[in-house]
């Protein structure tokens, strides 16, 4: 129980929110309010895991004016065996970027990410996406989805955030890539 705030980007033609109970859980009461957020600031540093794990390179090739422009970014892996933990000092705002790996058998374009703050469930986020025609994992050449993001607000002090794939549907068998960036107010 409690009050939870989620950032949902606004689209020109409106936004559709789908709320479904997970695995026949009890009834959930929901109140939805909206406020336009005027963000003055920018994304700054990339936040690294507590254990300083190796990251996976994902390359994105975009068509520039006359040539293809290539950008490589570093991502952490979430799957049935990997859980990622971050120590973040607040107060702060953090954006969690995620994308899913598309292998030969992949048909689903959705996944769930569980976020815990200091060991307590902060939320299970449902993400739906689509395959990117520009991005792929450098080592395996596997295509990935377009990135999606989740905003979280960090209270004052140092807090530990754990990201994992919850046991919902066949979610644990997926490979999700994440990276966190801190928002700096200007």
């Amino acid at each position: 129980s409690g009050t939870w705030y989620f950032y949902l980007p606004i689209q020109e033609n409106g936004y559709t929110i789908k709320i479904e109970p997970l695995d026949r859980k009890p009834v959930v009461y929901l109140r939805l309010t909206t406020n336009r957020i005027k963000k003055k600031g920018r994304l700054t540093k990339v936040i690294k895991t507590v254990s300083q794990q190796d990251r996976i390179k994902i390359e994105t090739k975009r068509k520039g004016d006359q040539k293809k422009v290539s950008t490589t970014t570093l991502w952490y892996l979430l799957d049935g065996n990997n859980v990622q933990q971050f120590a973040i000092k607040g107060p702060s705002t953090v954006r969690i970027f995620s994308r899913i790996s598309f292998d030969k058998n992949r048909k689903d374009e959705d996944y769930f990410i569980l976020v815990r703050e200091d060991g307590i469930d902060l939320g299970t986020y449902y993400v739906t996406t689509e395959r990117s025609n520009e991005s792929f994992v450098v080592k395996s050449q596997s295509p990935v989805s377009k990135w999606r993001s989740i905003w979280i607000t960090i209270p004052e002090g140092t807090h530990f955030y754990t990201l994992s794939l919850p046991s919902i549907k066949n979610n644990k068998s997926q490979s999700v890539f994440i990276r966190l960036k801190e928002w700096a107010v200007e």
Side-chain angles (χ1 to χ4, degrees), residues 155-172:
E156 190 163 334
T158 300
H159 299 276
F160 290 90
Y161 290 85
T162 306
L163 281 73
S164 62
L165 300 180
S167 296
I168 301 172
K169 295 184 185 179
N170 60 352
N171 198 55
K172 283 271 195 191

Side-chain angles (χ1 to χ4, degrees), residues 48-166:
K48 295 186 178 177
T49 60
V50 172
S51 60
Q52 300 295 316
Q53 292 185 7
D54 289 336
R55 292 179 282 176
I56 295 169
K57 292 180 182 180
I58 294 181
E59 187 173 338
T60 302
K61 293 184 179 180
R62 293 188 182 94
K63 293 179 182 175
D65 293 334
Q66 298 293 330
K67 58 182 180 175
K68 284 190 177 182
V69 179
S70 180
T71 307
T72 302
T73 51
L74 299 171
W75 298 74
Y76 292 104
L77 175 66
L78 284 181
D79 61 16
N81 299 321
N82 288 318
V83 171
Q84 303 294 344
Q85 188 174 55
F86 302 86
I88 305 172
K89 186 175 180 182
S92 181
T93 302
V94 171
R95 191 172 187 180
I96 302 170
F97 294 89
S98 69
R99 56 193 339 165
I100 194 163
S101 176
F102 275 90
D103 60 11
K104 296 174 187 175
N105 302 323
R106 177 140 192 91
K107 293 177 184 159
D108 296 335
E109 295 180 338
D110 58 351
Y111 53 97
F112 296 88
I113 296 177
L114 173 60
V115 179
R116 287 190 174 104
E117 179 183 66
D118 297 327
I120 298 170
D121 288 1
L122 185 62
T124 300
Y125 297 86
Y126 172 74
V127 182
T128 183
T129 186
E130 58 191 272
R131 186 177 178 148
S132 171
N133 294 324
E134 301 172 338
S135 301
F136 58 92
V137 177
V138 172
K139 189 174 183 179
S140 66
Q141 298 296 304
S142 298
V144 294
S145 70
K146 295 180 178 181
W147 61 263
R148 299 294 185 246
S149 66
I150 302 164
W151 287 88
I152 57 174
T153 302
I154 313 300
E156 190 163 334
T158 300
H159 299 276
F160 290 90
Y161 290 85
T162 306
L163 281 73
S164 62
L165 300 180

Side-chain angles (χ1 to χ4, degrees), residues 5-10 15 35-37 39 95 125 149-152:
Y5 297 94
F6 298 97
Y7 170 76
L8 300 170
I10 297 174
Y15 203 89
N35 289 344
R36 181 171 216 112
I37 299 172
K39 293 194 173 201
R95 191 172 187 180
Y125 297 86
S149 66
I150 302 164
W151 287 88
I152 57 174

